[in-house]
Amino acid sequence: MDLGIKGRKAIVCAGSKGLGRGCAMALAQAGVEIVLNARGADALAATANEIMAATGVTVTPVAADITTPEGRAAVLSEAGEVDILVTNAGGPPPGNWRDWSRDDFIAALDANMLAPIAMMQAVLPAMIEQRWGRVVNITSQSVRAPIAQLGLSNSARSGLTGFVAGTSRQVAEYGVNINNLLPGLHATDRAVSLDTAAAKTKGISVEEAKAQREATIPVRRYGTPEEFGATCAFMCSVHAGFMVGQNVMLDGGLNNISI
């Protein structure tokens, strides 16, 4: 399928590996120029080179912490006006409600709610003016099916979901579509982190913890960054113009939620 976005420009945040990399690769395969952001300069440069070699599109790496005002300014300055924004940031660590301080919540809000909101506020005016734009926020399955040990993530990402619910409907008439993409369990560093935490809690190996979690998924495996990226690219395409303010769950059927 031709996604109809060849020649567009996108910012992809936290895109040097994992789900962000999957999104950047899929958009590049559709002919989209990429401004690729991540904190680690070496991994970022390597990923940018790999995507350019594989697709032939221009990929501009910007090493910066997107959760800080300085990092966002660096990315936005390099990118200029863009057609597509994919927001993404690593989730806060799992834990117990007894252990979280106000500072822990503020850090989670900065990374997983306020940073993507700030990026949207920066790019939406130009999208509205040109009467076309796409924003996909990578959030988490936890906003529809909260996970007990991910209270920090549940809280921050639910706040972002509320912002998108209202804002997406205010900009839709201008051809600008904002939606959220909710990953379930995917084969990324985040999954390794959660498997490691589960293994420690249960006193089992990481491999056993992973196998136990895979057994809970109807497809009996973790998702791949490639599958996730393909879904993201469709949500950024010309074919997604009637999709507004949605929370698209990509979880292999793990959460049996009918609404």
Side-chain angles (χ1 to χ4, degrees):
M1 178 186 290
D2 181 0
L3 299 183
I5 50 178
K6 183 177 181 179
R8 297 284 188 180
K9 182 192 289 188
I11 293 173
V12 180
C13 302
S16 64
K17 55 186 176 180
L19 301 181
R21 184 187 188 282
C23 294
M25 178 63 82
L27 287 170
Q29 288 170 338
V32 177
E33 178 184 343
I34 307 293
V35 177
L36 192 66
N37 159 254
R39 287 179 295 181
D42 292 343
L44 179 64
T47 297
N49 289 333
E50 289 169 6
I51 294 174
M52 283 192 287
T55 65
V57 304
T58 300
V59 181
T60 304
V62 183
D65 184 349
I66 203 68
T67 69
T68 67
E70 297 80 11
R72 291 190 292 274
V75 172
L76 292 165
S77 175
E78 181 65 43
E81 293 185 1
V82 298
D83 307 290
I84 296 167
L85 169 66
V86 179
T87 74
N88 186 26
N96 185 280
W97 60 270
R98 297 176 180 84
D99 302 323
W100 294 321
S101 68
R102 183 178 187 278
D103 288 343
D104 293 323
F105 279 100
I106 294 299
L109 291 170
D110 274 339
N112 300 123
M113 185 181 83
L114 298 178
I117 288 175
M119 290 296 291
M120 282 185 275
Q121 289 176 318
V123 304
L124 285 175
M127 291 181 177
I128 290 170
E129 185 174 352
Q130 71 179 9
R131 291 189 168 268
W132 198 94
R134 297 287 187 267
V135 178
V136 174
N137 300 293
I138 300 176
T139 64
S140 170
Q141 63 178 330
S142 67
V143 302
R144 292 188 64 193
I147 300 169
Q149 66 270 28
L150 297 184
L152 294 174
S153 179
N154 297 341
S155 302
R157 297 190 194 278
S158 294
L160 174 62
T161 302
F163 176 85
V164 168
T167 304
S168 63
R169 288 161 175 85
Q170 292 176 314
V171 303
E173 65 179 294
Y174 305 106
V176 179
N177 299 81
I178 309 175
N179 294 284
N180 303 318
L181 183 50
L182 285 53
L185 300 172
H186 285 71
T188 65
D189 289 347
R190 176 68 164 170
V192 173
S193 173
L194 295 176
D195 287 339
T196 300
K200 182 178 180 181
T201 299
K202 297 179 180 181
I204 59 178
S205 70
V206 174
E207 291 73 19
E208 289 173 313
K210 178 184 177 183
Q212 287 181 5
R213 290 215 299 167
E214 286 182 322
T216 68
I217 306 171
V219 300
R220 298 295 187 264
R221 63 174 177 84
Y222 286 174
T224 69
E226 291 76 20
E227 289 171 318
F228 191 85
T231 304
C232 178
F234 173 79
M235 292 170 68
C236 296
S237 76
V238 297
H239 309 294
F242 209 58
M243 183 184 292
V244 175
Q246 298 303 301
N247 292 289
V248 178
M249 184 91 83
L250 197 65
D251 69 345
L254 176 62
N255 294 288
N256 189 10
I257 299 173
S258 59
I259 57 172

